[in-house]
Amino acid sequence: MAMALDTTIEQTALVQAATSESRVARYTLITISLVFLALILALPLAAVFHEAFRKGTAAFTSALQDPETLSAIKLTLIVAGIAVPLNLVFGVAAAWAIAKFEFRGKAFLTTLIDLPFSVSPVISGLVFVILFGSQSLLGPVLKSYGIQILFAVPGLVLATVFVTFPFVARELIPLMQEQGTADEEAALSLGASGWQTFWHVTLPNIKWGLLYGVLLCNARAMGEFGAVSVVSGHIRGETNTMPLQVEILYNEYNFVAAFAVATLLALLALVTLVLKTLLEIKFSDEIAASRRH
Amino acid sequence: MEVRVQNIVKQFERFPALKDVSLDIRSGELIALLGPSGSGKTTLLRLIAGLESPTAGQIFFGDEDASLKTVQERNIGFVFQHYALFRHMTVLDNISFGLRIRKADRRPAKADIRARAMELIDLVQLSGMEKRYPAQLSGGQRQRVALARAMAVEPNVLLLDEPFGALDAQVRKELRRWLRDIHNRTGHTTVFVTHDQEEALELADRVVVMSQGKIEQAGTPDEIYDAPNSPFVFSFIGQSNILPVRVESGQIWLEDRPIGVESAGTADGTANLHFRPHDIGLQDGCGGCLAGIVTTSRRVAGKRHVELDIGQQHARVEIELPADHPATEGSRVAFRPTRFKLFQA
């Protein structure tokens, strides 16, 4: 009996579980991933901070106090401050429509929401140049009323809204689809109005997913380069956002200043990453994205 | 409150869910909508609630036409199959929700809302749990919160969609008795949907059997069980056997012999004989009876369930015998149905 037991134990140890790799294979894969991450992500990030502080803290702070840089930071905050709330509203509305109603062209709308992800940001910017440029139909009309879209804040906001539209909607659609409409029906049957139902029932049900989507949306809104670059016109101190300012400073060989602004963007990315991870750990079952990926 | 459903038709995109359904629900009645899935029972419930709107027909609450009213205006209590409790609210907040969200002119004072909710918590036997969240409750407890929440608004009618569907057998039985008790104490007009006939027959004052978007029969549990008016109801409710027979001048024949049962007033011709396994009388000899060879014999609790092979067509029939009956496989058993129904073949 004891003999038989021994052999089975030995056998189980000898035979590998089907899904586990050999020790060598595992360590090789882990090493490759780590080296790759170090080279592609960690090293550049470290370089950004290193370059920024190369001439000392004083140079770093004075670079950030340059009026043009300050204006770029301010503009970025303004653009994100308008684009993110807009996309919050659009995203919730689109997700609500797709998740809770049945209508013709629903699949088309879902695809359309993903469009900004599949289109090159340069095209996203160019679309607005074509729409509102001086050669376009709309541009001169608006100009005659004194409304400037391109090379001004409205153009920057439009391009940013376009590029960051999918983040909130994409996050909420699967979440709302999964939650169904029973909670809303329950609230309605108890006499709640549509608005009360949204405020007291729907919104609390999606709040963590919404926050997660807003976080990603904000990170992208502040960091967007391509689309914004096309519509901005690069007017110094007026239409340059932070990413554009980095480019300009860099092209002028003002490396310390360029990297100083870049550190702010890198910090934004790191804060976003930390918050995103915290949300995922804490509310994983209420965030659709963490299950999808 | 009395609820009258009048010639309701509901057409979903392609398929008809309800075809001309009429039903009178008396005030204070506990009524069950019973049927297989796809029979339209849940659709009917949702139409009464106002969660769906009918393609044609009307629904009256008392003398008032409720068809044009929204779900909010109908003042109903709806208990959802999976309860749909608000997960971010405590038990107390869930139950008081319907009162808290009322407009100021109809909203009771804060203290009154709390008192009413606590009273309901007491009624549904959840005292001490008012601060818990739905996730911290068992299935049966959630069900009771959902019921209390629906009752808090003093609804005209209480509507329950498969109220015990998601619970395990033991809890289900307990809650069933408890729901009957609550109904007796509060007297709300109550409609519940179920596919479980035992639940419907045990709990309801009246059972409405539905199939394919139509009401097959509405009646007391006894009427439904003892006098089913269609082959569907007969075979859907309880166990039943079906034998193809022939009627000749009032006598019922199976193949080449009479079975010793008369059916006066039935037109001659072929028919289907329906009878229940326990509605039979054993016969010694067989000068007009049903007789067959035992194919299986199982002891089930206090009864013996015997399956017989009858006639040249080898029809299968199940009958119930006393547990001590010596029927074994291969032996021969003769009987007559004591209570039966003939339906046109």
Side-chain angles (χ1 to χ4, degrees):
Chain A
M1 189 63 207
M3 281 286 286
L5 210 67
D6 283 345
T7 41
T8 49
I9 287 170
E10 239 167 71
Q11 269 170 359
T12 46
L14 281 174
V15 178
Q16 241 173 47
T19 50
S20 76
E21 303 298 334
S22 74
R23 194 170 285 218
V24 179
R26 262 187 289 162
Y27 284 126
T28 315
L29 285 173
I30 292 170
T31 311
I32 291 175
S33 315
L34 282 179
V35 169
F36 188 79
L37 279 176
L39 279 178
I40 301 296
L41 290 176
L43 198 63
L45 199 62
V48 167
F49 282 91
H50 178 255
E51 287 294 325
F53 288 100
R54 173 181 285 237
K55 290 187 183 157
T57 328
F60 175 82
T61 43
S62 80
L64 287 184
Q65 276 158 3
D66 174 69
E68 280 175 18
T69 300
L70 281 178
S71 126
I73 294 172
K74 201 174 129 200
L75 184 63
T76 297
L77 291 176
I78 290 171
V79 168
I82 301 171
V84 173
L86 279 178
N87 271 339
L88 188 149
V89 175
F90 292 160
V92 171
W96 180 289
I98 284 171
K100 315 251 165 172
F101 303 133
E102 290 302 324
F103 56 91
R104 265 162 197 277
K106 190 162 138 170
F108 180 65
L109 182 61
T110 315
T111 317
L112 214 57
I113 286 173
D114 280 344
L115 188 71
F117 274 165
S118 50
V119 166
S120 157
V122 178
I123 310 291
S124 311
L126 218 52
V127 168
F128 294 103
V129 175
I130 294 166
L131 267 178
F132 300 113
S134 52
Q135 311 296 319
S136 73
L137 221 67
L138 280 171
V141 176
L142 288 172
K143 192 147 204 177
S144 68
Y145 287 102
I147 300 170
Q148 176 84 20
I149 303 278
L150 284 183
F151 317 130
V153 175
L156 294 172
V157 170
L158 279 175
T160 307
V161 166
F162 184 91
V163 172
T164 58
F165 180 74
F167 288 98
V168 173
R170 285 262 303 211
E171 176 57 34
L172 291 184
I173 289 167
L175 186 65
M176 288 173 108
Q177 270 172 340
E178 189 184 294
Q179 288 178 348
T181 49
D183 283 16
E184 280 79 14
E185 285 183 339
L188 293 172
S189 78
L190 290 165
S193 66
W195 177 247
Q196 283 175 320
T197 302
F198 176 75
W199 194 249
H200 294 294
V201 175
T202 308
L203 201 57
N205 277 350
I206 60 167
K207 63 178 176 221
W208 297 117
L210 185 62
L211 187 60
Y212 186 89
V214 164
L215 198 65
L216 296 184
C217 181
N218 182 57
R220 183 65 188 271
M222 290 190 172
E224 174 58 25
F225 179 82
V228 169
S229 171
V230 176
V231 296
S232 130
H234 305 277
I235 305 166
R236 285 170 161 266
E238 277 183 40
T239 63
N240 277 337
T241 60
M242 281 161 75
L244 301 180
Q245 182 71 7
V246 173
E247 193 207 19
I248 287 179
L249 292 170
Y250 186 83
N251 286 345
E252 291 170 347
Y253 306 103
N254 193 348
F255 295 134
V256 170
F259 283 105
V261 181
T263 54
L264 294 184
L265 287 170
L267 277 177
L268 169 74
L270 287 175
V271 169
T272 305
L273 201 65
V274 169
L275 288 177
K276 177 172 168 288
T277 313
L278 280 179
L279 277 176
E280 277 171 8
I281 292 170
K282 217 157 170 209
F283 305 102
S284 58
D285 53 333
E286 295 172 43
I287 296 172
S290 53
R291 265 166 303 166
R292 257 186 302 137
H293 301 312
Chain B
M1 181 173 286
E2 216 169 82
V3 176
R4 259 185 314 135
V5 175
Q6 238 171 42
N7 305 103
I8 284 286
V9 175
K10 175 68 184 175
Q11 185 89 22
F12 284 118
E13 213 145 300
R14 286 224 178 79
F15 72 100
L18 290 174
K19 310 165 188 163
D20 194 17
V21 166
S22 296
L23 176 67
D24 283 358
I25 300 163
R26 294 169 208 133
S27 189
E29 194 172 35
L30 179 55
I31 201 164
L33 303 179
L34 173 67
S37 52
S39 59
K41 53 191 193 304
T42 297
T43 306
L44 180 55
L45 195 77
R46 291 173 60 86
L47 279 162
I48 296 174
L51 292 170
E52 307 276 354
S53 59
T55 311
Q58 283 166 304
I59 291 167
F60 290 90
F61 281 19
D63 293 326
E64 246 181 308
D65 185 355
S67 322
L68 299 171
K69 288 187 174 180
T70 63
V71 54
Q72 290 102 324
E73 292 163 343
R74 291 191 197 191
N75 193 35
I76 48 100
F78 202 104
V79 176
F80 291 81
Q81 192 173 359
H82 299 288
Y83 323 130
L85 295 180
F86 307 132
R87 65 202 86 174
H88 59 281
M89 292 185 203
T90 60
V91 168
L92 183 71
D93 287 344
N94 260 285
I95 293 174
S96 59
F97 182 82
L99 297 173
R100 281 189 289 123
I101 47 111
R102 280 191 183 163
K103 287 213 181 81
D105 55 326
R106 284 183 58 233
R107 188 170 53 221
K110 241 184 188 164
D112 293 343
I113 292 178
R114 194 188 152 82
R116 168 90 184 124
M118 292 306 282
E119 192 184 304
L120 280 163
I121 287 172
D122 203 36
L123 179 74
V124 298
Q125 296 162 4
L126 287 174
S127 308
M129 300 201 180
E130 63 269 16
K131 291 207 178 93
R132 294 218 191 159
Y133 286 89
Q136 299 165 307
L137 300 176
S138 71
Q141 290 169 337
R142 283 179 212 177
Q143 168 64 269
R144 286 183 274 162
V145 174
L147 187 70
R149 183 177 69 178
M151 289 198 298
V153 296
E154 291 289 348
N156 289 323
V157 52
L158 203 51
L159 306 164
L160 300 91
D161 187 9
E162 298 271 6
F164 312 116
L167 301 170
D168 55 51
Q170 193 57 40
V171 181
R172 194 186 297 194
K173 254 199 162 129
E174 211 173 284
L175 269 183
R176 214 189 274 168
R177 219 168 296 140
W178 172 84
L179 179 65
R180 179 76 236 184
D181 186 48
I182 292 251
H183 178 261
N184 291 344
R185 278 159 68 184
T186 58
H188 282 299
T189 308
T190 306
V191 184
F192 73 99
V193 157
T194 181
H195 61 264
D196 181 345
Q197 44 164 305
E198 201 188 316
E199 198 166 287
L201 295 175
E202 186 184 317
L203 196 53
D205 295 322
R206 265 198 316 149
V207 177
V208 177
V209 184
M210 298 186 65
S211 161
Q212 301 186 338
K214 280 191 291 213
I215 292 180
E216 290 277 340
Q217 187 173 2
T220 64
D222 284 350
E223 284 166 9
I224 296 284
Y225 193 83
D226 293 333
N229 66 0
S230 72
F232 172 81
V233 177
F234 208 116
S235 41
F236 186 68
I237 306 285
Q239 295 282 321
S240 71
N241 294 301
I242 305 171
L243 278 178
V245 295
R246 211 170 66 249
V247 182
E248 271 174 31
S249 44
Q251 282 287 332
I252 300 174
W253 292 64
L254 178 71
E255 290 161 6
D256 57 352
R257 52 160 86 188
I259 65 168
V261 178
E262 289 182 10
S263 175
T266 310
D268 285 4
T270 55
N272 281 326
L273 176 75
H274 290 242
F275 64 95
R276 303 206 186 276
H278 54 82
D279 286 338
I280 55 125
L282 283 176
Q283 300 286 311
D284 284 337
C286 196
C289 64
L290 285 165
I293 308 294
V294 176
T295 55
T296 60
S297 169
R298 300 183 315 272
R299 166 81 189 268
V300 179
K303 293 277 180 193
R304 182 168 292 281
H305 289 194
V306 173
E307 208 174 281
L308 298 175
D309 180 335
I310 288 183
Q312 287 140 22
Q313 306 289 327
H314 300 288
R316 290 292 164 112
V317 160
E318 189 175 309
I319 58 172
E320 270 178 40
L321 299 176
D324 56 358
H325 190 277
T328 52
E329 278 173 38
S331 66
R332 192 178 161 81
V333 172
F335 68 95
R336 277 178 195 157
T338 50
R339 192 186 241 167
F340 62 90
K341 194 117 187 179
L342 281 172
F343 292 107
Q344 218 132 44

